[in-house]
Amino acid sequence: MEQMMFGIMMYLVALLTIGGIYAVIALGLNMHWGVSGLFNAGIAGFFAIGAYTSAILTTPTSIKHLGGFDLPVWLGMLASMIAAGIVAYAVGRICLRLRSDYLAIATIGIAEIFRLVLKNESWMTNGTRGIANVPKPFEDLGTPWSQLAFLAVVIVIVAAVYVVVERALNAPWGRVMRAIRENDDAAEAAGKDVVRFRLEAFVFGAMFMGLGGAMTAHSFKFIGPEATEPLLTTFLVWVMLIIGGSGNNRGAILGAIIVWAIWSMTQILTGFLPPDLAVRAATLRVFLVGLLLQVVLQRFSRGLIPEKSPTAAAATISQKVTPAP
Amino acid sequence: MLEFINFYLVPGLVLGCIYTLGAIGVSLLFGILRFAHFAHGDMMTLGAYLALLVIGLTGWPAIAAIPAAMLGTAVVALVIDRVSYRPFRSSPTIIIVIASFGIALMVRSAIQFTWGLEIESYRTGIHRPMVFFDSLRISGNHIQIVLTTIVLVGAVHYLLSRTKIGKAMRAMSDDPDLARITGIATERVITWTWIIGAGLAAAAGVFVGMDTQVNTFMGWNLLLPVFAAAILGGIGRPYGAIAGGMVIGIAEELSTYPWIGTAPLLSPGYKTGVAFGIMVILLIWRPSGLFRGRVF
Amino acid sequence: MRLLEATEMTGGYGEMDILDSVDMGVDSGEIVSIIGPNGAGKSTAMKAIFGIVRLRKGQVSFAGEDITNAATETQVRRGMAYVPQERNIFPNLSVHENLEMGAFIREDGVAEALEHVYELFPPLREKMRQPAGELSGGQRQMVAIGRALMVEPKLLMLDEPTAGLSPLFMAEIFERIIAVNATGVGILMVEQNARQALEISHRGYVLSTGRNRFADSGANLLANEEVTKSFLGG
Ligand SMILES: Nc1ncnc2c1ncn2[C@@H]1O[C@H](COP(=O)(O)OP(=O)(O)OP(=O)(O)O)[C@@H](O)[C@H]1O
Ligand SMILES: [Mg+2]
């Protein structure tokens, strides 16, 4: 009995840890889409850059890949944000003037190119075998304290990111950003440098995606190219943001935890099935999440915690979504 | 030289056919519904698996299963449109794009649930290629693929230039508001656009199976080259998509040819990246596509 | 019974009303002009009649049938045809295809209607294979009007058919409008070239800031000093 309670507790800790990491990425996406209306469908690319940067910098020296440089984890995480930010700057400079679905296609294309590089440049990334021995903070404490301590780290990071983005949004910068999202022509006419603001938002959001990647690498002590598969790293985050409430930072966090909980609990359910059936049932999880997205888009288009300001709320997702007559 | 034709040019042409058929659909859908259909790759997968089903039931050659695969995929596309896309006709296009993103994964997982995750193959045993002029070897499948593509593209051309519904498709692609004012039955046009787009996607999917194998991830891998082809041809312009598909397909295969020295120009691991690369460069340099001028 | 009767039309694009209780009507066989300054709501009134702009209040009836806020696509079947002010042709379709599209709803033969349009606008016959987007402004306007005539409507609604045309072309278009009207088609048109429009109109409406200002016969409006001073440039 006690053992079972302990198991459940450890499961919850793991759930919250990963959910928290997703929350960081979802906050980044909220900066892109919710606040700025930038359709980034290449989250996986920034995630991968962050994850590999931190992994290479913090692992002990290895002949299998570039480095490692054995630097402290916090430095790796910082570097992951900087690296993702720099890449986002370069990508943003050339892509942000595209109309939204072109931007989506371009960002997917760029993310796929990154994935090919990760797979093929073995000298740097150890190819498909990935980078192992990524250090995890407090891993020496032993179960359950190590896991609890890591969860605490995640919670602190989520809280810090939340405070930062929330401040940015309530500052004049955030108001300009929303104005641009609603009507970029009007904002342009009002003398705002729309391109620069968009680029700032793009870099800002991408930094958190990179940070999420780094956190994932440290959490699993491993990073390989499968972790940057678009299903898990791009699509799931989109579902999280839309379900949570696009444009609202608390919505992004809540959506991340709820969707991750659904995703991972359905995994447990399929685990009870006989093996051959389990593989099939696992594919149904994706179907269910897709279905959930359709229902939310059609019925609750503003998400669980809708955006606050009434004028701004109209724009993102709920605009003109009226049921067909 | 013959090695170049046998192992690079002909496979490039075949790949070009596959991309072309996908890109025509993407282009038509973009022109008429004004959104990038992210589930198009998985429509191709669906077509490939429906053909697998037909082949399994009847023992026919793959090419004979194409009409049934096209029909089945078109029906599924119409159901998806009714249920998932139509409610968003007057919403910002971005919402339909997100919805189609979700549909792509739902279609894929439904296929995985039904057929499992293993790689499947249409044929058993080795097919001997036909030999021309002593050393030009072309497989019968490749000939079938190219000829079928020519027939399908010809049919699309006939439809767009000669039939009332085809002309209405072009009209709607020109100006949807004016089409409505003119009394064009816009929902009927949309229905036909799905039938054609999904049908061509299904045929392309079957071609992939005829050329190599089918697996449930093929749609995702095809999606970006198909978008690249559509963008290259000028999205919304089905005739440009033909050129775009051929360019991307041939460029992808030729990228690994040892143009300089004896090593492949590009490591084969990056072959699939050629399409993305061309696409990203194009989006940045000339988003309206290579071929300006007359739409359609 | 009037062919078209619109009463107290009130509505606009969003929250704000553009039209404020506008009345308007056309009898069969009449030419009626709507004139007024820029932004008066002339185009909006036409769109409201055709069901493109939603009315919050008021009523529109056509041939005795209530068509308030009816779906745009259904209006053509009732016998109304509308040529918008801008974007009124399919630029990538040939002239001939533009006309064919005009007859989309017709299941019967369209050869006669085509012939009629080509007779009315001979330049179109010469250019029938050319993309309509490549034509000159006047010829595009012919394509647009021809396209609308393909359904053989009872009421033809034209939004600024002579905008941006040279005086020569303008005269030609007006002449054709009279010819169409002579076959019994009612015409409702918005015109910036108000004086010329009123000269060929049986009746006219003067709109300004979304309200009816004057409604009278064409001749009377032209003779009205207030109208000429404020709306016809003295
Ligand atoms: N699509 C639209 N959305 C919002 N407001 C509009 C739209 N079209 C027109 N308006 C506004 O409605 C008012 C009336 O416009 P309308 O086009 O009816 O004027 P008009 O009399 O036809 O003028 P013009 O002579 O310039 O064609 C104007 O203030 C205009 O800004
Ligand atoms: Mg007007």
Side-chain angles (χ1 to χ4, degrees):
Chain A
M1 186 66 205
E2 207 163 276
Q3 193 131 33
M4 192 170 142
M5 288 301 293
F6 185 73
I8 289 174
M9 192 196 82
M10 290 310 291
Y11 175 74
L12 281 178
V13 168
L15 192 105
L16 283 175
T17 304
I18 308 297
I21 295 174
Y22 268 116
V24 172
I25 306 173
L27 284 169
L29 181 63
N30 191 34
M31 187 57 75
H32 286 171
W33 170 247
V35 179
S36 319
L38 302 172
F39 195 154
N40 176 7
I43 301 170
F46 300 111
F47 175 94
I49 285 168
Y52 274 87
T53 301
S54 195
I56 287 171
L57 288 180
T58 58
T59 41
T61 313
S62 160
I63 48 160
K64 290 186 185 143
H65 55 83
L66 181 67
F69 297 97
D70 218 359
L71 293 173
V73 170
W74 66 266
L75 208 60
M77 287 189 177
L78 195 66
S80 73
M81 293 175 73
I82 295 169
I86 291 171
V87 172
Y89 180 79
V91 171
R93 274 304 287 267
I94 48 183
C95 290
L96 284 187
R97 60 204 164 80
L98 298 170
R99 65 162 267 187
S100 52
D101 33 8
Y102 280 83
L103 178 62
I105 297 169
T107 45
I108 291 185
I110 289 168
E112 289 292 302
I113 290 174
F114 287 156
R115 202 146 67 97
L116 281 179
V117 172
L118 296 178
K119 269 190 187 160
N120 284 292
E121 300 304 315
S122 299
W123 60 274
M124 183 167 71
T125 62
N126 198 23
T128 47
R129 287 180 300 279
I131 296 178
N133 295 328
V134 183
K136 183 177 186 180
F138 308 111
E139 59 188 317
D140 306 329
L141 292 182
T143 317
W145 303 111
S146 130
Q147 286 85 343
L148 282 170
F150 191 78
L151 175 60
V153 171
V154 170
I155 289 172
V156 168
I157 293 176
V158 172
V161 171
Y162 174 77
V163 169
V164 170
V165 288
E166 196 66 7
R167 282 202 158 190
L169 285 198
N170 294 324
W173 185 88
R175 283 197 291 277
V176 173
M177 220 45 252
R178 277 179 232 227
I180 291 174
R181 184 193 64 193
E182 312 286 292
N183 188 341
D184 52 355
D185 290 337
E188 185 103 56
K192 303 295 177 199
D193 186 348
V194 171
V195 177
R196 211 197 72 210
F197 271 95
R198 283 210 170 121
L199 190 56
E200 282 169 4
F202 196 65
V203 170
F204 199 22
M207 287 168 78
F208 299 127
M209 295 172 182
L211 178 60
M215 291 161 78
T216 306
H218 292 295
S219 170
F220 290 111
K221 305 175 65 170
F222 172 81
I223 188 74
E226 320 83 68
T228 66
E229 216 263 316
L231 167 67
L232 276 176
T233 21
T234 297
F235 180 67
L236 219 48
V237 180
W238 267 98
V239 176
M240 288 165 175
L241 182 64
I242 288 169
I243 287 178
S246 176
N248 187 310
N249 287 320
R250 274 182 298 155
I253 297 174
L254 184 70
I257 303 213
I258 287 179
V259 172
W260 180 251
I262 295 173
W263 182 258
S264 99
M265 283 187 207
T266 46
Q267 186 173 28
I268 301 187
L269 289 182
T270 57
F272 287 121
L273 296 168
D276 52 332
L277 214 61
V279 175
R280 291 212 161 174
T283 65
L284 274 189
R285 293 160 65 207
V286 181
F287 192 89
L288 285 176
V289 171
L291 197 64
L292 190 65
L293 176 70
Q294 302 295 329
V295 171
V296 169
L297 279 177
Q298 292 196 16
R299 298 270 171 262
F300 315 96
S301 58
R302 298 181 57 197
L304 291 170
I305 315 183
E307 188 167 5
K308 278 165 278 179
S309 99
T311 55
T316 42
I317 199 96
S318 57
Q319 189 182 50
K320 277 164 66 189
V321 181
T322 40
Chain B
M1 184 60 195
L2 275 166
E3 189 205 295
F4 175 75
I5 295 177
N6 288 341
F7 296 109
Y8 295 91
L9 195 58
V10 171
L13 212 61
V14 169
L15 201 56
C17 287
I18 292 166
Y19 292 165
T20 293
L21 294 185
I24 293 175
V26 165
S27 226
L28 277 175
L29 285 165
F30 190 92
I32 285 155
L33 288 163
R34 316 251 147 194
F35 82 103
H37 186 221
F38 276 81
H40 214 71
D42 293 281
M43 293 285 128
M44 294 171 139
T45 316
L46 180 64
Y49 275 88
L50 288 177
L52 186 71
L53 182 74
V54 172
I55 292 166
L57 289 175
T58 62
W60 290 347
I63 191 157
I66 288 179
M70 290 174 78
L71 192 71
T73 308
V75 170
V76 172
L78 285 175
V79 171
I80 290 172
D81 180 59
R82 288 296 119 89
V83 176
S84 176
Y85 301 151
R86 188 147 82 173
F88 300 122
R89 288 268 200 274
S90 57
S91 311
T93 56
I94 214 73
I95 294 178
I96 284 207
V97 174
I98 296 172
S100 79
F101 221 93
I103 290 291
L105 285 156
M106 289 170 75
V107 170
R108 187 208 290 178
S109 59
I111 292 170
Q112 289 173 336
F113 183 75
T114 316
W115 279 282
L117 288 157
E118 286 84 40
I119 293 173
E120 307 271 0
S121 179
Y122 287 162
R123 43 187 176 154
T124 45
I126 307 271
H127 284 237
R128 193 96 50 80
M130 296 186 208
V131 181
F132 301 87
F133 315 116
D134 291 340
S135 47
L136 178 61
R137 317 165 136 262
I138 299 180
S139 87
N141 276 327
H142 286 173
I143 293 173
Q144 287 180 359
I145 289 172
V146 173
L147 290 182
T148 313
T149 303
I150 292 171
V151 170
L152 288 173
V153 168
V156 171
H157 171 70
Y158 177 82
L159 182 104
L160 289 176
S161 60
R162 294 293 146 79
T163 66
K164 188 170 167 182
I165 198 76
K167 289 175 193 175
M169 285 166 72
R170 286 163 53 213
M172 200 171 156
S173 173
D174 253 11
D175 194 328
D177 293 332
L178 184 60
R180 216 160 286 127
I181 289 167
T182 304
I184 291 175
T186 51
E187 279 300 322
R188 199 157 95 222
V189 171
I190 291 172
T191 299
W192 276 99
T193 308
W194 280 113
I195 292 173
I196 295 159
L200 294 179
V206 180
F207 289 169
V208 173
M210 287 165 69
D211 187 28
T212 53
Q213 291 153 323
V214 297
N215 70 69
T216 54
F217 288 92
M218 60 187 257
W220 176 257
N221 298 331
L222 286 167
L223 183 66
L224 283 173
V226 161
F227 273 144
I231 292 168
L232 190 66
I235 199 156
R237 302 174 186 188
Y239 292 126
I242 300 168
M246 285 298 162
V247 169
I248 299 278
I250 292 172
E252 220 172 88
E253 291 294 339
L254 297 196
S255 69
T256 54
Y257 185 72
W259 294 101
I260 309 161
T262 52
L265 181 69
L266 200 68
S267 140
Y270 283 113
K271 201 161 108 177
T272 52
V274 171
F276 315 150
I278 295 178
M279 184 181 75
V280 172
I281 291 168
L282 201 75
L283 279 174
I284 293 151
W285 172 60
R286 201 164 175 176
S288 59
L290 273 190
F291 314 99
R292 294 243 181 102
R294 203 157 124 70
V295 185
F296 283 100
Chain C
M1 183 181 62
R2 280 199 149 174
L3 182 59
L4 176 78
E5 179 85 77
T7 46
E8 298 184 6
M9 291 195 295
T10 305
Y13 298 93
E15 304 283 290
M16 218 174 57
D17 286 342
I18 303 285
L19 301 177
D20 181 3
S21 202
V22 172
D23 296 325
M24 222 163 253
V26 181
D27 286 326
S28 329
E30 251 189 338
I31 300 181
V32 176
S33 287
I34 308 171
I35 65 168
N38 286 104
K42 307 183 295 293
S43 297
T44 309
M46 275 215 167
K47 290 185 204 161
I49 291 169
F50 208 71
I52 299 168
V53 165
R54 270 195 97 68
L55 286 177
R56 209 165 50 72
K57 265 202 324 242
Q59 239 202 354
V60 183
S61 65
F62 183 75
E65 184 189 0
D66 182 5
I67 58 160
T68 318
N69 292 332
T72 312
E73 297 96 289
T74 61
Q75 308 287 43
V76 182
R77 285 186 192 281
R78 295 196 170 90
M80 302 167 83
Y82 166 53
V83 178
Q85 185 172 350
E86 288 156 336
R87 301 199 302 145
N88 50 24
I89 56 161
F90 299 110
N92 292 296
L93 267 58
S94 71
V95 169
H96 195 74
E97 287 168 339
N98 264 275
L99 299 181
E100 285 179 319
M101 282 301 110
F104 185 89
I105 58 159
R106 297 183 57 169
E107 304 294 341
D108 52 340
V110 294
E112 206 176 304
L114 269 169
E115 190 52 36
H116 178 71
V117 170
Y118 283 136
E119 255 161 44
L120 200 60
F121 301 113
L124 298 188
R125 196 194 296 271
E126 282 164 44
K127 311 232 156 153
M128 62 190 277
R129 299 271 161 244
Q130 260 190 46
E134 291 173 7
L135 267 48
S136 72
Q139 290 170 342
R140 283 167 180 241
Q141 211 60 43
M142 292 178 185
V143 173
I145 298 172
R147 191 220 83 221
L149 288 174
M150 286 299 293
V151 279
E152 298 178 347
K154 292 189 212 123
L155 175 70
L156 177 62
M157 298 171 42
L158 304 168
D159 196 345
E160 305 208 11
T162 67
L165 297 189
S166 69
L168 204 68
F169 258 125
M170 185 167 85
E172 190 171 342
I173 295 284
F174 278 139
E175 202 181 289
R176 295 310 137 94
I177 290 171
I178 295 171
V180 170
N181 174 247
T183 64
V185 179
I187 304 223
L188 177 65
M189 65 177 172
V190 171
E191 260 305 335
Q192 287 288 347
N193 299 307
R195 206 175 277 277
Q196 291 88 331
L198 288 178
E199 271 163 16
I200 66 160
S201 299
H202 300 101
R203 291 188 304 110
Y205 291 94
V206 181
L207 285 193
S208 129
T209 58
R211 284 198 206 125
N212 281 102
R213 279 310 167 70
F214 299 89
D216 210 332
S217 71
N220 282 353
L221 286 174
L222 282 169
N224 185 326
E225 213 170 284
E226 230 185 309
V227 172
T228 46
K229 223 173 70 197
S230 314
F231 300 104
L232 300 177

